[in-house]
Amino acid sequence: MTDITASTESRQVANRARPVTERPVHQYLSFILHGRRYALDGLCVREIIQYQRTTKVPMANRCVHGVINLRGAVVPVIDLGLRFNQAKTQIDRRTCIIIVEVAQPDAPQILGILVDAVSEVLEVAPTEMNPVPAFGNPIRSDFIHAMVHREDDFIILLTIENALAVAEIAALPDGNKALSA
């Protein structure tokens, strides 16, 4: 018993003596949408579910794919492709819905986002983040937090609060035509 205690104490001393060289990293969930890689803050992701049929909502913004019943709660599902002024997301066997919690002025909102496929969880250090280019972005620049270069490709890190601003989506009857940042 004394040997175990001595061994534990020596490991604790050794751990305190090591310099802290780890960079703070943040986790992002990456996904594919229309052939591009995007990622969103892992802290806002509640779960990932297989695509399920949605119920259409009359007179809703065109990017609102419909609503689903998630364990008794009505959750709006946003077609991220349409929200980004791109083509409608095609449903296939890899299509899924990412359930996210989005900070809003009133209270957090639970939404689903329809994507082609989920890729992986990325660990990104602040030093890996590149600023948003002034032009040439596939989506509105206020939707983009930063860009990360991985495997000969750029991954767009989204600012989910801007991309899924509930008040803005609700105020647009025919999509995003009125918006251009």
Side-chain angles (χ1 to χ4, degrees), residues 6-40:
S7 174
T8 303
E9 287 176 5
S10 65
R11 268 186 270 139
Q12 289 173 344
V13 170
N15 286 339
R16 277 182 268 160
R18 281 190 206 138
V20 178
T21 57
E22 295 179 25
R23 296 179 298 170
V25 295
H26 197 77
Q27 292 187 331
Y28 290 86
L29 177 68
S30 69
F31 60 90
I32 307 294
L33 182 66
H34 300 307
R36 291 194 184 267
R37 288 180 68 188
Y38 296 91
L40 50 102

PDB file of all heavy atoms in Angstrom, residues 6-40:
ATOM      1  N   ALA A   6       3.243   6.041  -2.775  1.00  0.00           N
ATOM      2  CA  ALA A   6       4.473   6.701  -3.224  1.00  0.00           C
ATOM      3  C   ALA A   6       4.469   6.860  -4.735  1.00  0.00           C
ATOM      4  O   ALA A   6       4.860   7.899  -5.268  1.00  0.00           O
ATOM      5  CB  ALA A   6       5.700   5.904  -2.772  1.00  0.00           C
ATOM      6  N   SER A   7       3.995   5.845  -5.444  1.00  0.00           N
ATOM      7  CA  SER A   7       3.933   5.894  -6.902  1.00  0.00           C
ATOM      8  C   SER A   7       2.961   6.982  -7.360  1.00  0.00           C
ATOM      9  O   SER A   7       3.259   7.746  -8.270  1.00  0.00           O
ATOM     10  CB  SER A   7       3.497   4.535  -7.436  1.00  0.00           C
ATOM     11  OG  SER A   7       3.302   4.594  -8.810  1.00  0.00           O
ATOM     12  N   THR A   8       1.799   7.077  -6.723  1.00  0.00           N
ATOM     13  CA  THR A   8       0.804   8.091  -7.057  1.00  0.00           C
ATOM     14  C   THR A   8       1.351   9.488  -6.788  1.00  0.00           C
ATOM     15  O   THR A   8       1.214  10.380  -7.615  1.00  0.00           O
ATOM     16  CB  THR A   8      -0.492   7.868  -6.249  1.00  0.00           C
ATOM     17  OG1 THR A   8      -0.956   6.551  -6.513  1.00  0.00           O
ATOM     18  CG2 THR A   8      -1.554   8.875  -6.615  1.00  0.00           C
ATOM     19  N   GLU A   9       2.018   9.657  -5.642  1.00  0.00           N
ATOM     20  CA  GLU A   9       2.587  10.963  -5.294  1.00  0.00           C
ATOM     21  C   GLU A   9       3.668  11.368  -6.286  1.00  0.00           C
ATOM     22  O   GLU A   9       3.745  12.526  -6.694  1.00  0.00           O
ATOM     23  CB  GLU A   9       3.143  10.945  -3.868  1.00  0.00           C
ATOM     24  CG  GLU A   9       2.069  10.939  -2.806  1.00  0.00           C
ATOM     25  CD  GLU A   9       2.628  10.817  -1.402  1.00  0.00           C
ATOM     26  OE1 GLU A   9       3.859  10.833  -1.228  1.00  0.00           O
ATOM     27  OE2 GLU A   9       1.813  10.703  -0.479  1.00  0.00           O
ATOM     28  N   SER A  10       4.517  10.434  -6.703  1.00  0.00           N
ATOM     29  CA  SER A  10       5.592  10.779  -7.639  1.00  0.00           C
ATOM     30  C   SER A  10       5.018  11.160  -9.004  1.00  0.00           C
ATOM     31  O   SER A  10       5.532  12.061  -9.665  1.00  0.00           O
ATOM     32  CB  SER A  10       6.603   9.637  -7.763  1.00  0.00           C
ATOM     33  OG  SER A  10       5.987   8.499  -8.336  1.00  0.00           O
ATOM     34  N   ARG A  11       3.913  10.515  -9.443  1.00  0.00           N
ATOM     35  CA  ARG A  11       3.270  10.893 -10.711  1.00  0.00           C
ATOM     36  C   ARG A  11       2.666  12.290 -10.613  1.00  0.00           C
ATOM     37  O   ARG A  11       2.765  13.074 -11.540  1.00  0.00           O
ATOM     38  CB  ARG A  11       2.181   9.883 -11.079  1.00  0.00           C
ATOM     39  CG  ARG A  11       2.725   8.772 -11.954  1.00  0.00           C
ATOM     40  CD  ARG A  11       1.652   7.850 -12.431  1.00  0.00           C
ATOM     41  NE  ARG A  11       1.555   6.804 -11.417  1.00  0.00           N
ATOM     42  CZ  ARG A  11       0.450   6.274 -10.961  1.00  0.00           C
ATOM     43  NH1 ARG A  11      -0.698   6.637 -11.419  1.00  0.00           N
ATOM     44  NH2 ARG A  11       0.466   5.348 -10.030  1.00  0.00           N
ATOM     45  N   GLN A  12       2.071  12.613  -9.472  1.00  0.00           N
ATOM     46  CA  GLN A  12       1.483  13.937  -9.301  1.00  0.00           C
ATOM     47  C   GLN A  12       2.556  15.012  -9.337  1.00  0.00           C
ATOM     48  O   GLN A  12       2.383  16.055  -9.951  1.00  0.00           O
ATOM     49  CB  GLN A  12       0.695  14.010  -7.985  1.00  0.00           C
ATOM     50  CG  GLN A  12      -0.579  13.197  -8.018  1.00  0.00           C
ATOM     51  CD  GLN A  12      -1.260  13.147  -6.660  1.00  0.00           C
ATOM     52  OE1 GLN A  12      -0.652  13.470  -5.635  1.00  0.00           O
ATOM     53  NE2 GLN A  12      -2.521  12.734  -6.652  1.00  0.00           N
ATOM     54  N   VAL A  13       3.688  14.767  -8.693  1.00  0.00           N
ATOM     55  CA  VAL A  13       4.800  15.723  -8.706  1.00  0.00           C
ATOM     56  C   VAL A  13       5.336  15.878 -10.123  1.00  0.00           C
ATOM     57  O   VAL A  13       5.589  16.992 -10.595  1.00  0.00           O
ATOM     58  CB  VAL A  13       5.927  15.284  -7.733  1.00  0.00           C
ATOM     59  CG1 VAL A  13       7.174  16.121  -7.932  1.00  0.00           C
ATOM     60  CG2 VAL A  13       5.438  15.367  -6.300  1.00  0.00           C
ATOM     61  N   ALA A  14       5.489  14.772 -10.843  1.00  0.00           N
ATOM     62  CA  ALA A  14       5.982  14.817 -12.220  1.00  0.00           C
ATOM     63  C   ALA A  14       5.020  15.594 -13.112  1.00  0.00           C
ATOM     64  O   ALA A  14       5.446  16.384 -13.961  1.00  0.00           O
ATOM     65  CB  ALA A  14       6.188  13.407 -12.757  1.00  0.00           C
ATOM     66  N   ASN A  15       3.715  15.396 -12.935  1.00  0.00           N
ATOM     67  CA  ASN A  15       2.736  16.119 -13.744  1.00  0.00           C
ATOM     68  C   ASN A  15       2.779  17.613 -13.470  1.00  0.00           C
ATOM     69  O   ASN A  15       2.616  18.414 -14.380  1.00  0.00           O
ATOM     70  CB  ASN A  15       1.317  15.588 -13.490  1.00  0.00           C
ATOM     71  CG  ASN A  15       1.087  14.238 -14.129  1.00  0.00           C
ATOM     72  OD1 ASN A  15       1.790  13.852 -15.059  1.00  0.00           O
ATOM     73  ND2 ASN A  15       0.106  13.507 -13.616  1.00  0.00           N
ATOM     74  N   ARG A  16       2.997  18.012 -12.211  1.00  0.00           N
ATOM     75  CA  ARG A  16       3.095  19.434 -11.878  1.00  0.00           C
ATOM     76  C   ARG A  16       4.362  20.043 -12.446  1.00  0.00           C
ATOM     77  O   ARG A  16       4.394  21.209 -12.773  1.00  0.00           O
ATOM     78  CB  ARG A  16       3.057  19.632 -10.361  1.00  0.00           C
ATOM     79  CG  ARG A  16       1.632  19.651  -9.826  1.00  0.00           C
ATOM     80  CD  ARG A  16       1.634  19.901  -8.364  1.00  0.00           C
ATOM     81  NE  ARG A  16       1.658  18.538  -7.778  1.00  0.00           N
ATOM     82  CZ  ARG A  16       2.034  18.249  -6.567  1.00  0.00           C
ATOM     83  NH1 ARG A  16       2.449  19.174  -5.760  1.00  0.00           N
ATOM     84  NH2 ARG A  16       2.014  17.015  -6.135  1.00  0.00           N
ATOM     85  N   ALA A  17       5.410  19.266 -12.579  1.00  0.00           N
ATOM     86  CA  ALA A  17       6.690  19.774 -13.056  1.00  0.00           C
ATOM     87  C   ALA A  17       6.704  19.985 -14.570  1.00  0.00           C
ATOM     88  O   ALA A  17       7.484  20.775 -15.075  1.00  0.00           O
ATOM     89  CB  ALA A  17       7.817  18.818 -12.665  1.00  0.00           C
ATOM     90  N   ARG A  18       5.826  19.290 -15.319  1.00  0.00           N
ATOM     91  CA  ARG A  18       5.788  19.431 -16.772  1.00  0.00           C
ATOM     92  C   ARG A  18       5.271  20.802 -17.159  1.00  0.00           C
ATOM     93  O   ARG A  18       4.281  21.286 -16.611  1.00  0.00           O
ATOM     94  CB  ARG A  18       4.839  18.387 -17.379  1.00  0.00           C
ATOM     95  CG  ARG A  18       5.436  17.048 -17.476  1.00  0.00           C
ATOM     96  CD  ARG A  18       4.531  16.148 -18.307  1.00  0.00           C
ATOM     97  NE  ARG A  18       4.775  14.775 -17.894  1.00  0.00           N
ATOM     98  CZ  ARG A  18       3.865  13.866 -17.703  1.00  0.00           C
ATOM     99  NH1 ARG A  18       2.600  14.151 -17.905  1.00  0.00           N
ATOM    100  NH2 ARG A  18       4.177  12.652 -17.321  1.00  0.00           N
ATOM    101  N   PRO A  19       5.922  21.438 -18.119  1.00  0.00           N
ATOM    102  CA  PRO A  19       5.407  22.735 -18.574  1.00  0.00           C
ATOM    103  C   PRO A  19       4.121  22.537 -19.371  1.00  0.00           C
ATOM    104  O   PRO A  19       3.960  21.548 -20.079  1.00  0.00           O
ATOM    105  CB  PRO A  19       6.519  23.267 -19.475  1.00  0.00           C
ATOM    106  CG  PRO A  19       7.255  22.055 -19.929  1.00  0.00           C
ATOM    107  CD  PRO A  19       7.123  21.046 -18.817  1.00  0.00           C
ATOM    108  N   VAL A  20       3.223  23.464 -19.229  1.00  0.00           N
ATOM    109  CA  VAL A  20       1.963  23.394 -19.951  1.00  0.00           C
ATOM    110  C   VAL A  20       2.193  23.990 -21.333  1.00  0.00           C
ATOM    111  O   VAL A  20       2.334  25.194 -21.481  1.00  0.00           O
ATOM    112  CB  VAL A  20       0.840  24.150 -19.198  1.00  0.00           C
ATOM    113  CG1 VAL A  20      -0.453  24.099 -19.988  1.00  0.00           C
ATOM    114  CG2 VAL A  20       0.663  23.570 -17.818  1.00  0.00           C
ATOM    115  N   THR A  21       2.271  23.127 -22.328  1.00  0.00           N
ATOM    116  CA  THR A  21       2.516  23.579 -23.694  1.00  0.00           C
ATOM    117  C   THR A  21       1.316  23.325 -24.592  1.00  0.00           C
ATOM    118  O   THR A  21       1.364  23.602 -25.776  1.00  0.00           O
ATOM    119  CB  THR A  21       3.739  22.851 -24.290  1.00  0.00           C
ATOM    120  OG1 THR A  21       3.505  21.448 -24.233  1.00  0.00           O
ATOM    121  CG2 THR A  21       5.008  23.206 -23.548  1.00  0.00           C
ATOM    122  N   GLU A  22       0.258  22.783 -24.047  1.00  0.00           N
ATOM    123  CA  GLU A  22      -0.912  22.495 -24.846  1.00  0.00           C
ATOM    124  C   GLU A  22      -1.617  23.791 -25.239  1.00  0.00           C
ATOM    125  O   GLU A  22      -1.798  24.686 -24.426  1.00  0.00           O
ATOM    126  CB  GLU A  22      -1.884  21.614 -24.060  1.00  0.00           C
ATOM    127  CG  GLU A  22      -1.350  20.245 -23.758  1.00  0.00           C
ATOM    128  CD  GLU A  22      -2.347  19.422 -22.966  1.00  0.00           C
ATOM    129  OE1 GLU A  22      -3.563  19.699 -23.070  1.00  0.00           O
ATOM    130  OE2 GLU A  22      -1.906  18.529 -22.242  1.00  0.00           O
ATOM    131  N   ARG A  23      -1.978  23.858 -26.512  1.00  0.00           N
ATOM    132  CA  ARG A  23      -2.736  25.003 -26.992  1.00  0.00           C
ATOM    133  C   ARG A  23      -4.212  24.745 -26.733  1.00  0.00           C
ATOM    134  O   ARG A  23      -4.669  23.608 -26.854  1.00  0.00           O
ATOM    135  CB  ARG A  23      -2.528  25.190 -28.488  1.00  0.00           C
ATOM    136  CG  ARG A  23      -1.114  25.511 -28.852  1.00  0.00           C
ATOM    137  CD  ARG A  23      -0.986  25.647 -30.336  1.00  0.00           C
ATOM    138  NE  ARG A  23      -1.325  24.369 -30.977  1.00  0.00           N
ATOM    139  CZ  ARG A  23      -1.495  24.216 -32.279  1.00  0.00           C
ATOM    140  NH1 ARG A  23      -1.369  25.227 -33.078  1.00  0.00           N
ATOM    141  NH2 ARG A  23      -1.797  23.028 -32.778  1.00  0.00           N
ATOM    142  N   PRO A  24      -4.957  25.774 -26.384  1.00  0.00           N
ATOM    143  CA  PRO A  24      -6.389  25.550 -26.203  1.00  0.00           C
ATOM    144  C   PRO A  24      -7.026  25.228 -27.558  1.00  0.00           C
ATOM    145  O   PRO A  24      -6.800  25.932 -28.536  1.00  0.00           O
ATOM    146  CB  PRO A  24      -6.901  26.874 -25.652  1.00  0.00           C
ATOM    147  CG  PRO A  24      -5.891  27.882 -26.063  1.00  0.00           C
ATOM    148  CD  PRO A  24      -4.587  27.159 -26.179  1.00  0.00           C
ATOM    149  N   VAL A  25      -7.749  24.157 -27.618  1.00  0.00           N
ATOM    150  CA  VAL A  25      -8.441  23.786 -28.847  1.00  0.00           C
ATOM    151  C   VAL A  25      -9.937  23.787 -28.591  1.00  0.00           C
ATOM    152  O   VAL A  25     -10.393  23.682 -27.460  1.00  0.00           O
ATOM    153  CB  VAL A  25      -8.005  22.395 -29.376  1.00  0.00           C
ATOM    154  CG1 VAL A  25      -6.558  22.405 -29.797  1.00  0.00           C
ATOM    155  CG2 VAL A  25      -8.271  21.312 -28.370  1.00  0.00           C
ATOM    156  N   HIS A  26     -10.670  23.925 -29.667  1.00  0.00           N
ATOM    157  CA  HIS A  26     -12.117  23.945 -29.574  1.00  0.00           C
ATOM    158  C   HIS A  26     -12.645  22.915 -30.561  1.00  0.00           C
ATOM    159  O   HIS A  26     -12.091  22.755 -31.643  1.00  0.00           O
ATOM    160  CB  HIS A  26     -12.636  25.350 -29.913  1.00  0.00           C
ATOM    161  CG  HIS A  26     -14.031  25.587 -29.480  1.00  0.00           C
ATOM    162  ND1 HIS A  26     -14.356  25.843 -28.174  1.00  0.00           N
ATOM    163  CD2 HIS A  26     -15.190  25.591 -30.174  1.00  0.00           C
ATOM    164  CE1 HIS A  26     -15.668  26.005 -28.090  1.00  0.00           C
ATOM    165  NE2 HIS A  26     -16.190  25.850 -29.293  1.00  0.00           N
ATOM    166  N   GLN A  27     -13.716  22.235 -30.211  1.00  0.00           N
ATOM    167  CA  GLN A  27     -14.259  21.205 -31.076  1.00  0.00           C
ATOM    168  C   GLN A  27     -15.376  21.753 -31.959  1.00  0.00           C
ATOM    169  O   GLN A  27     -16.227  22.520 -31.497  1.00  0.00           O
ATOM    170  CB  GLN A  27     -14.784  20.034 -30.255  1.00  0.00           C
ATOM    171  CG  GLN A  27     -13.673  19.276 -29.567  1.00  0.00           C
ATOM    172  CD  GLN A  27     -14.182  18.018 -28.881  1.00  0.00           C
ATOM    173  OE1 GLN A  27     -15.323  17.957 -28.448  1.00  0.00           O
ATOM    174  NE2 GLN A  27     -13.319  17.031 -28.784  1.00  0.00           N
ATOM    175  N   TYR A  28     -15.330  21.335 -33.217  1.00  0.00           N
ATOM    176  CA  TYR A  28     -16.328  21.711 -34.210  1.00  0.00           C
ATOM    177  C   TYR A  28     -16.830  20.447 -34.894  1.00  0.00           C
ATOM    178  O   TYR A  28     -16.047  19.546 -35.190  1.00  0.00           O
ATOM    179  CB  TYR A  28     -15.722  22.645 -35.267  1.00  0.00           C
ATOM    180  CG  TYR A  28     -15.395  24.009 -34.741  1.00  0.00           C
ATOM    181  CD1 TYR A  28     -14.182  24.266 -34.111  1.00  0.00           C
ATOM    182  CD2 TYR A  28     -16.297  25.057 -34.859  1.00  0.00           C
ATOM    183  CE1 TYR A  28     -13.884  25.521 -33.617  1.00  0.00           C
ATOM    184  CE2 TYR A  28     -16.006  26.315 -34.364  1.00  0.00           C
ATOM    185  CZ  TYR A  28     -14.807  26.540 -33.746  1.00  0.00           C
ATOM    186  OH  TYR A  28     -14.519  27.779 -33.256  1.00  0.00           O
ATOM    187  N   LEU A  29     -18.121  20.393 -35.159  1.00  0.00           N
ATOM    188  CA  LEU A  29     -18.697  19.288 -35.908  1.00  0.00           C
ATOM    189  C   LEU A  29     -18.683  19.687 -37.375  1.00  0.00           C
ATOM    190  O   LEU A  29     -19.267  20.713 -37.753  1.00  0.00           O
ATOM    191  CB  LEU A  29     -20.132  19.008 -35.459  1.00  0.00           C
ATOM    192  CG  LEU A  29     -20.849  17.913 -36.248  1.00  0.00           C
ATOM    193  CD1 LEU A  29     -20.214  16.551 -35.966  1.00  0.00           C
ATOM    194  CD2 LEU A  29     -22.325  17.904 -35.930  1.00  0.00           C
ATOM    195  N   SER A  30     -18.010  18.895 -38.209  1.00  0.00           N
ATOM    196  CA  SER A  30     -17.947  19.226 -39.630  1.00  0.00           C
ATOM    197  C   SER A  30     -18.984  18.409 -40.400  1.00  0.00           C
ATOM    198  O   SER A  30     -19.338  17.293 -40.013  1.00  0.00           O
ATOM    199  CB  SER A  30     -16.546  18.994 -40.186  1.00  0.00           C
ATOM    200  OG  SER A  30     -16.232  17.634 -40.220  1.00  0.00           O
ATOM    201  N   PHE A  31     -19.456  19.011 -41.479  1.00  0.00           N
ATOM    202  CA  PHE A  31     -20.466  18.371 -42.315  1.00  0.00           C
ATOM    203  C   PHE A  31     -20.307  18.830 -43.754  1.00  0.00           C
ATOM    204  O   PHE A  31     -19.610  19.808 -44.037  1.00  0.00           O
ATOM    205  CB  PHE A  31     -21.884  18.645 -41.793  1.00  0.00           C
ATOM    206  CG  PHE A  31     -22.254  20.103 -41.736  1.00  0.00           C
ATOM    207  CD1 PHE A  31     -22.851  20.741 -42.818  1.00  0.00           C
ATOM    208  CD2 PHE A  31     -22.014  20.835 -40.587  1.00  0.00           C
ATOM    209  CE1 PHE A  31     -23.188  22.084 -42.759  1.00  0.00           C
ATOM    210  CE2 PHE A  31     -22.357  22.178 -40.512  1.00  0.00           C
ATOM    211  CZ  PHE A  31     -22.939  22.802 -41.604  1.00  0.00           C
ATOM    212  N   ILE A  32     -20.959  18.103 -44.648  1.00  0.00           N
ATOM    213  CA  ILE A  32     -20.917  18.397 -46.077  1.00  0.00           C
ATOM    214  C   ILE A  32     -22.266  18.968 -46.490  1.00  0.00           C
ATOM    215  O   ILE A  32     -23.320  18.455 -46.105  1.00  0.00           O
ATOM    216  CB  ILE A  32     -20.645  17.119 -46.914  1.00  0.00           C
ATOM    217  CG1 ILE A  32     -19.400  16.391 -46.431  1.00  0.00           C
ATOM    218  CG2 ILE A  32     -20.587  17.445 -48.406  1.00  0.00           C
ATOM    219  CD1 ILE A  32     -18.114  17.118 -46.615  1.00  0.00           C
ATOM    220  N   LEU A  33     -22.203  20.032 -47.283  1.00  0.00           N
ATOM    221  CA  LEU A  33     -23.409  20.624 -47.856  1.00  0.00           C
ATOM    222  C   LEU A  33     -23.067  21.077 -49.266  1.00  0.00           C
ATOM    223  O   LEU A  33     -22.192  21.942 -49.440  1.00  0.00           O
ATOM    224  CB  LEU A  33     -23.893  21.797 -46.997  1.00  0.00           C
ATOM    225  CG  LEU A  33     -25.172  22.479 -47.458  1.00  0.00           C
ATOM    226  CD1 LEU A  33     -26.363  21.523 -47.352  1.00  0.00           C
ATOM    227  CD2 LEU A  33     -25.444  23.733 -46.654  1.00  0.00           C
ATOM    228  N   HIS A  34     -23.699  20.486 -50.256  1.00  0.00           N
ATOM    229  CA  HIS A  34     -23.463  20.810 -51.667  1.00  0.00           C
ATOM    230  C   HIS A  34     -21.978  20.764 -52.034  1.00  0.00           C
ATOM    231  O   HIS A  34     -21.467  21.645 -52.713  1.00  0.00           O
ATOM    232  CB  HIS A  34     -24.057  22.166 -52.024  1.00  0.00           C
ATOM    233  CG  HIS A  34     -25.537  22.248 -51.804  1.00  0.00           C
ATOM    234  ND1 HIS A  34     -26.430  21.330 -52.336  1.00  0.00           N
ATOM    235  CD2 HIS A  34     -26.290  23.121 -51.096  1.00  0.00           C
ATOM    236  CE1 HIS A  34     -27.654  21.646 -51.967  1.00  0.00           C
ATOM    237  NE2 HIS A  34     -27.606  22.722 -51.208  1.00  0.00           N
ATOM    238  N   GLY A  35     -21.304  19.746 -51.542  1.00  0.00           N
ATOM    239  CA  GLY A  35     -19.908  19.531 -51.906  1.00  0.00           C
ATOM    240  C   GLY A  35     -18.899  20.357 -51.138  1.00  0.00           C
ATOM    241  O   GLY A  35     -17.697  20.209 -51.332  1.00  0.00           O
ATOM    242  N   ARG A  36     -19.339  21.232 -50.266  1.00  0.00           N
ATOM    243  CA  ARG A  36     -18.434  22.052 -49.446  1.00  0.00           C
ATOM    244  C   ARG A  36     -18.441  21.537 -48.021  1.00  0.00           C
ATOM    245  O   ARG A  36     -19.436  21.028 -47.541  1.00  0.00           O
ATOM    246  CB  ARG A  36     -18.861  23.516 -49.441  1.00  0.00           C
ATOM    247  CG  ARG A  36     -18.675  24.211 -50.742  1.00  0.00           C
ATOM    248  CD  ARG A  36     -18.812  25.708 -50.500  1.00  0.00           C
ATOM    249  NE  ARG A  36     -18.741  26.434 -51.730  1.00  0.00           N
ATOM    250  CZ  ARG A  36     -17.623  26.935 -52.223  1.00  0.00           C
ATOM    251  NH1 ARG A  36     -16.501  26.807 -51.561  1.00  0.00           N
ATOM    252  NH2 ARG A  36     -17.622  27.602 -53.363  1.00  0.00           N
ATOM    253  N   ARG A  37     -17.302  21.759 -47.352  1.00  0.00           N
ATOM    254  CA  ARG A  37     -17.200  21.379 -45.934  1.00  0.00           C
ATOM    255  C   ARG A  37     -17.442  22.601 -45.061  1.00  0.00           C
ATOM    256  O   ARG A  37     -16.829  23.651 -45.254  1.00  0.00           O
ATOM    257  CB  ARG A  37     -15.820  20.794 -45.646  1.00  0.00           C
ATOM    258  CG  ARG A  37     -15.648  19.408 -46.247  1.00  0.00           C
ATOM    259  CD  ARG A  37     -14.305  18.824 -45.967  1.00  0.00           C
ATOM    260  NE  ARG A  37     -14.169  18.519 -44.545  1.00  0.00           N
ATOM    261  CZ  ARG A  37     -13.028  18.134 -43.992  1.00  0.00           C
ATOM    262  NH1 ARG A  37     -11.935  18.017 -44.710  1.00  0.00           N
ATOM    263  NH2 ARG A  37     -12.985  17.857 -42.707  1.00  0.00           N
ATOM    264  N   TYR A  38     -18.334  22.425 -44.101  1.00  0.00           N
ATOM    265  CA  TYR A  38     -18.650  23.445 -43.111  1.00  0.00           C
ATOM    266  C   TYR A  38     -18.455  22.812 -41.742  1.00  0.00           C
ATOM    267  O   TYR A  38     -18.398  21.596 -41.600  1.00  0.00           O
ATOM    268  CB  TYR A  38     -20.110  23.901 -43.242  1.00  0.00           C
ATOM    269  CG  TYR A  38     -20.440  24.593 -44.546  1.00  0.00           C
ATOM    270  CD1 TYR A  38     -20.897  23.871 -45.646  1.00  0.00           C
ATOM    271  CD2 TYR A  38     -20.318  25.961 -44.666  1.00  0.00           C
ATOM    272  CE1 TYR A  38     -21.213  24.502 -46.839  1.00  0.00           C
ATOM    273  CE2 TYR A  38     -20.641  26.605 -45.850  1.00  0.00           C
ATOM    274  CZ  TYR A  38     -21.084  25.866 -46.930  1.00  0.00           C
ATOM    275  OH  TYR A  38     -21.391  26.498 -48.109  1.00  0.00           O
ATOM    276  N   ALA A  39     -18.405  23.656 -40.729  1.00  0.00           N
ATOM    277  CA  ALA A  39     -18.331  23.156 -39.357  1.00  0.00           C
ATOM    278  C   ALA A  39     -19.034  24.149 -38.450  1.00  0.00           C
ATOM    279  O   ALA A  39     -19.078  25.346 -38.723  1.00  0.00           O
ATOM    280  CB  ALA A  39     -16.880  22.957 -38.931  1.00  0.00           C
ATOM    281  N   LEU A  40     -19.576  23.625 -37.365  1.00  0.00           N
ATOM    282  CA  LEU A  40     -20.192  24.497 -36.374  1.00  0.00           C
ATOM    283  C   LEU A  40     -19.712  24.112 -34.990  1.00  0.00           C
ATOM    284  O   LEU A  40     -19.265  22.992 -34.761  1.00  0.00           O
ATOM    285  CB  LEU A  40     -21.721  24.479 -36.474  1.00  0.00           C
ATOM    286  CG  LEU A  40     -22.448  23.155 -36.512  1.00  0.00           C
ATOM    287  CD1 LEU A  40     -23.031  22.864 -35.156  1.00  0.00           C
ATOM    288  CD2 LEU A  40     -23.562  23.266 -37.512  1.00  0.00           C
TER     289      LEU A  40
END
